[in-house]
């Protein structure tokens, strides 16, 4: 009995110490607490509940621990030597911006590596029976700089390890590396050559690039049309016949590859006139542009003025040590005298077009008498022509897989549906994806940083602003006086900023003089023009002062004497 127990103990220790197989999927374990922020912002996170989808070729919610149906590839990329699919995968709880508590997904765990993983269907799926509906979720838990998140439907029968060389029926999903787009590529079997060709959707839609869960839906209808929806909204619809490059059906006629243009075929409608001669006065060396002889240097062009001058506002730093730091020099600024002047430095005449310029001479063109028209090879029946109106009848599908290169980890896949029911896909969108997306969106909006109110300026800010304005005014006045002394009042007033200060000073001076003149003139007016008249003097007694008697009194006496006579 003891011997048996010892054997069992050794066997258990050996199994515990044995390394895990490379194709095992790591279970990332329980997610850390992610509901704190949601609770702080009053957002309720629902708990995960499995959702049943009947009659699906594949319905994957990654509820099985370790996802046993998913097999990590051990192959080497065919397109690149020594490039193995060594990227790591894990089935684990979502850790960033959780919309459903306990929801697991298939997560890319490594950066700057090649990743490949696939899951075989219980039985091959035939899209030609009733169309195809493919839908799955993508969540970028980290900012995606360069990487793919598309899915491949692998052609039956699946053989060997999954790689970039594995035949696939259809590839669909987002990709971001330089250009962002949603791929849609299907492979078609040429019934004549019996070879597969890839056909890429032209003008693919652009995917959202954020940390929310986004739903990608592809529908292939049995009338050779397709529809691409993102988050339940149609983004691109069209025809499998018309919207893909190259088109599936080849042209009925092609150029005859054996037909060659005759050696004597003239397809030049015009030829140089062989009889034409270059005129004797044609100067091919005459320049196109010459100095303008009529130009005159502007009066306000300062040839002796440098373009840069020391900044008069600059001050030597208090901690500047001439012995260690060298002689201090003010930084250079644009010469204010050159700001409004016509120019500074050496003056040169502007260039104008040379009236004698003719350029290189060439003979004029005339009609080619041997012209036969544009040559084109004759058209023949295309031996590879076929007309396939059943493009929806895609090759049978044996498995689904992700074969990706990405510079970032955290790309997460979930709720993968493959079948033929648009109604089932719509119910998944309404009952599984949308509640999760709404919670993620609510948390994202609640956690968005609010713009802080603009701080009110303090006393120090106001004082600093006032000092800057005073310094600016003093600098403008100083510059104005400097130019005034050297160039005169006109040049000083033409300076952009100093002139403004000078004009302001002149205006203030004139205003002050006008105010004083008005006071003086008012005083003179009141003193001279509007002075009051002297008061009237009392008349002397007429009976005692005959010299001052009025003429009327004399007249009255005369009239009285005449009446008495």
């Amino acid at each position: 009995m003891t011997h048996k127990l010892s054997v069992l103990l050794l066997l258990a220790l050996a199994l515990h110490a044995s390394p895990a197989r490379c194709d095992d999927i790591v279970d990332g374990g329980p997610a850390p607490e992610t509901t704190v922020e949601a609770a702080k912002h009053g957002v309720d996170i629902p708990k995960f509940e499995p959702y049943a989808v009947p009659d699906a070729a594949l319905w994957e919610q990654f509820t099985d621990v370790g996802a046993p149906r998913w097999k990590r590839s051990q192959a080497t990329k065919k397109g690149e030597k020594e490039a193995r699919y060594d990227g790591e995968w894990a089935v684990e709880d979502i850790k960033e911006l959780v919309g459903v508590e306990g929801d697991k997904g298939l997560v890319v765990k490594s950066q700057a590596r090649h990743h490949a993983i696939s899951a075989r269907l219980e039985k091959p799926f035939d899209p030609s029976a009733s169309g195809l509906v493919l839908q799955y979720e993508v969540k970028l838990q980290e900012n995606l700089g360069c990487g793919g998140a598309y899915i491949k439907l692998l052609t039956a029968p699946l053989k060997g390890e999954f790689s970039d060389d594995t035949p696939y029926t259809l590839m669909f999903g987002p990709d971001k590396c330089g250009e962002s787009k949603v791929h849609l590529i299907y492979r078609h079997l040429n019934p004549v050559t019996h070879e597969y060709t890839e056909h890429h959707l032209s003008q693919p839609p652009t995917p959202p690039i954020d940390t929310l869960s986004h739903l990608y839906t592809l529908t292939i209808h049995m009338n050779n049309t397709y529809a691409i929806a993102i988050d339940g909204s149609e983004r691109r619809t069209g025809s499998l016949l018309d919207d893909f490059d190259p088109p599936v059906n080849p042209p009925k006629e092609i150029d005859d590859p054996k037909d060659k243009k005759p050696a004597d075929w003239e397809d030049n409608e015009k030829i140089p006139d062989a009889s034409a001669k270059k005129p004797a006065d044609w100067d091919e060396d005459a320049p196109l542009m010459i100095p303008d002889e009529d130009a005159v240097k502007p009066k306000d062009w300062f040839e002796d003025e440098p373009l840069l001058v020391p900044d008069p506002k600059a001050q030597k730093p208090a901690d500047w040590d001439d012995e260690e730091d060298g002689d201090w020099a003010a930084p250079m600024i644009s010469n204010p005298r050159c700001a409004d002047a016509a120019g500074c430095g050496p003056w040169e005449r502007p260039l104008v077009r040379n009236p004698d310029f003719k350029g290189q001479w060439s003979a004029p063109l005339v009609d080619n008498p041997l012209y036969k028209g544009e040559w084109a090879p004759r058209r023949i029946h295309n031996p590879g022509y076929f007309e396939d109106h059943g493009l929806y009848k895609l090759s049978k599908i044996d498995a689904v897989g992700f074969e990706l290169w990405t510079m970032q980890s955290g790309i997460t896949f979930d709720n993968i549906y493959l079948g033929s029911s648009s109604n089932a896909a719509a119910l998944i969108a309404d009952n599984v994806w949308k509640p999760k997306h709404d919670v993620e969106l609510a948390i994202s909006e609640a956690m968005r940083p609010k713009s802080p109110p603009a701080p009110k300026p303090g006393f120090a800010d106001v004082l600093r602003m006032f000092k800057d304005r005073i310094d600016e005014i003093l600098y403008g006045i100083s510059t104005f006086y400097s130019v005034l002394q050297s160039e005169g009042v006109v040049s000083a007033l033409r300076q952009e900023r100093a002139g403004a200060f000078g004009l302001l000073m002149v205006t203030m001076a004139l205003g002050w003089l006008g105010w004083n003149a008005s006071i003086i003139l008012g005083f003179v007016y009141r003193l001279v023009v509007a002075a009051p008249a002297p008061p009237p003097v009392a008349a002397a007694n007429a009976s005692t002062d005959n010299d001052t008697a009025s003429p009327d009194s004399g007249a009255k006496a005369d009239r009285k004497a005449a009446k008495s006579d």
Side-chain angles (χ1 to χ4, degrees):
M1 184 68 178
T2 304
H3 176 70
K4 291 182 179 179
L5 288 175
S6 299
V7 172
L8 291 174
L9 180 61
L10 289 173
L11 181 60
L13 289 173
L15 290 173
H16 180 73
S18 61
R21 292 169 52 196
C22 294
D23 59 353
D24 288 341
I25 305 300
V26 178
D27 185 353
E33 286 294 330
T34 57
T35 59
V36 177
E37 288 294 331
K40 184 168 67 176
H41 296 287
V43 180
D44 294 330
I45 300 180
K47 294 185 179 297
F48 173 79
E49 294 182 3
Y51 185 81
V53 180
D55 302 326
L58 174 68
W59 171 237
E60 178 63 87
Q61 288 192 291
F62 299 99
T63 54
D64 297 336
V65 177
R69 83 168 85 186
W70 291 88
K71 180 182 178 183
R72 177 178 161 186
S73 176
Q74 301 299 310
T76 300
K77 284 181 68 71
K78 303 299 181 183
E80 300 180 30
K81 295 181 180 179
E82 306 300 327
R84 294 187 60 83
Y85 290 102
D86 56 353
E88 298 177 0
W89 298 84
V91 174
E92 62 183 18
D93 287 359
I94 308 302
K95 293 181 171 60
E96 299 294 333
L97 199 58
V98 177
V100 174
E101 186 177 349
D103 185 24
K104 295 182 182 295
L106 178 63
V107 184
V108 173
K109 298 296 292 180
S110 47
Q111 302 176 357
R113 292 188 186 180
H114 297 280
H115 301 75
I117 194 170
S118 61
R120 189 182 293 271
L121 306 181
E122 294 182 0
K123 62 179 182 179
F125 174 69
D126 186 4
S128 65
S130 54
L132 178 146
V133 179
L134 173 62
Q135 180 173 274
Y136 71 111
E137 291 180 18
V138 177
K139 182 179 178 66
L140 307 174
Q141 297 194 67
E142 300 178 13
N143 291 328
L144 184 63
C146 179
Y150 41 80
I151 190 171
K152 285 184 175 182
L153 305 184
L154 307 182
T155 306
L158 177 61
K159 298 178 181 179
E161 290 283 339
F162 176 37
S163 72
D164 59 332
D165 197 45
T166 301
Y168 68 91
T169 297
L170 184 144
M171 189 177 104
F172 170 66
D175 185 18
K176 180 182 185 295
C177 211
E179 179 186 5
S180 295
K181 59 183 175 181
V182 178
H183 286 290
L184 176 53
I185 307 171
Y186 69 89
R187 295 171 74 245
H188 178 264
L189 179 62
N190 188 310
V192 177
T193 63
H194 301 288
E195 295 178 351
Y196 279 94
T197 54
E198 290 184 352
H199 303 274
H200 296 244
L201 175 64
S202 57
Q203 301 179 355
T206 302
I209 305 296
D210 53 41
T211 57
L212 301 174
S213 295
H214 292 287
L215 189 69
Y216 293 87
T217 309
L218 169 67
T219 305
I220 304 293
H221 299 288
M222 298 179 69
N223 60 354
N224 293 326
T225 62
Y226 69 91
I228 295 175
I230 301 177
D231 295 344
S233 176
E234 281 194 349
R235 298 288 297 278
R236 185 84 160 87
T237 60
S239 167
L240 297 175
L241 288 165
D242 303 328
D243 298 346
F244 288 78
D245 186 28
V248 173
N249 293 331
K252 291 183 179 181
E253 291 185 342
I254 59 173
D255 293 339
D256 185 358
K258 297 179 180 180
D259 190 16
K260 305 297 181 183
K261 183 172 72 170
D264 60 348
W265 188 278
E266 284 287 343
D267 51 10
N268 293 318
E269 186 177 0
K270 299 286 186 178
I271 60 174
D273 185 0
S275 62
K277 302 294 183 182
K278 182 175 73 171
D281 61 345
W282 192 286
D283 185 3
E284 293 183 337
D285 298 327
L288 174 63
M289 305 296 290
I290 58 174
D292 185 2
E293 297 299 332
D294 296 331
V296 178
K297 184 178 73 172
K299 293 182 179 181
D300 57 346
W301 187 287
F302 306 131
E303 287 192 301
D304 297 331
E305 282 291 335
L307 295 176
L308 298 176
V309 295
D311 185 358
K313 296 175 60 177
Q315 296 181 356
K316 180 179 177 180
D319 59 348
W320 186 277
D321 189 336
D322 290 338
E323 294 183 358
E324 295 184 0
D325 303 327
D327 293 336
W328 181 82
M332 306 297 285
I333 62 172
S334 297
N335 190 342
R337 295 194 60 195
C338 302
D340 297 319
C344 292
W347 180 79
E348 295 180 356
R349 297 179 184 275
L351 297 178
V352 295
R353 185 177 179 86
N354 185 2
D356 297 328
F357 173 77
K358 295 183 178 180
Q360 195 74 21
W361 183 85
S362 59
L365 298 178
V366 296
D367 292 337
N368 184 0
L370 302 178
Y371 175 67
K372 296 182 178 180
E374 292 291 332
W375 182 87
R378 62 175 174 267
R379 303 283 290 177
I380 62 172
H381 175 73
N382 184 0
Y385 172 74
F386 65 87
E387 196 170 10
D388 188 351
H389 292 291
L391 300 183
Y392 70 92
K393 298 178 181 179
L394 300 170
S395 302
K396 291 184 179 181
I397 299 163
D398 211 5
V400 300
F402 298 98
E403 188 257 321
L404 311 170
W405 160 263
T406 176
M407 292 298 295
Q408 282 79 32
S409 60
I411 302 175
T412 305
F413 305 100
D414 198 6
N415 297 321
I416 305 170
Y417 169 76
L418 175 62
S420 55
S421 174
S422 297
N423 184 55
L427 290 174
I428 293 171
D430 291 340
N431 298 317
V432 180
W433 168 78
K434 192 174 187 307
K436 176 200 302 185
H437 182 268
D438 290 346
V439 172
E440 292 176 348
L441 189 60
I443 297 175
S444 178
E445 291 295 330
M447 294 177 61
R448 190 186 302 276
K450 304 297 186 295
S451 300
K456 295 182 178 179
F459 178 75
D461 298 326
V462 175
L463 189 62
R464 189 183 307 109
M465 192 179 347
F466 180 74
K467 180 180 180 299
D468 291 342
R469 295 297 178 269
I470 293 297
D471 291 342
E472 184 179 1
I473 293 172
L474 292 177
Y475 174 71
I477 295 174
S478 174
T479 305
F480 173 76
Y481 275 120
S482 176
V483 179
L484 178 66
Q485 292 174 355
S486 60
E487 298 294 332
V489 67
V490 176
S491 296
L493 291 176
R494 291 186 61 181
Q495 300 295 316
E496 180 178 2
R497 297 183 64 83
F501 286 115
L503 188 61
L504 178 62
M505 288 189 297
V506 171
T507 304
M508 291 175 63
L510 292 176
W512 182 82
L513 290 175
W515 179 72
N516 282 275
S518 66
I519 293 177
I520 294 173
L521 290 175
F523 177 76
V524 172
Y525 175 81
R526 288 193 301 271
L527 183 65
V528 177
V529 179
V537 181
N541 193 343
S543 61
T544 59
D545 192 357
N546 295 327
D547 294 337
T548 59
S550 66
D552 290 341
S553 61
K556 291 180 179 178
D558 292 339
R559 286 193 299 270
K560 185 175 181 183
K563 186 179 292 187
S564 62
D565 290 342

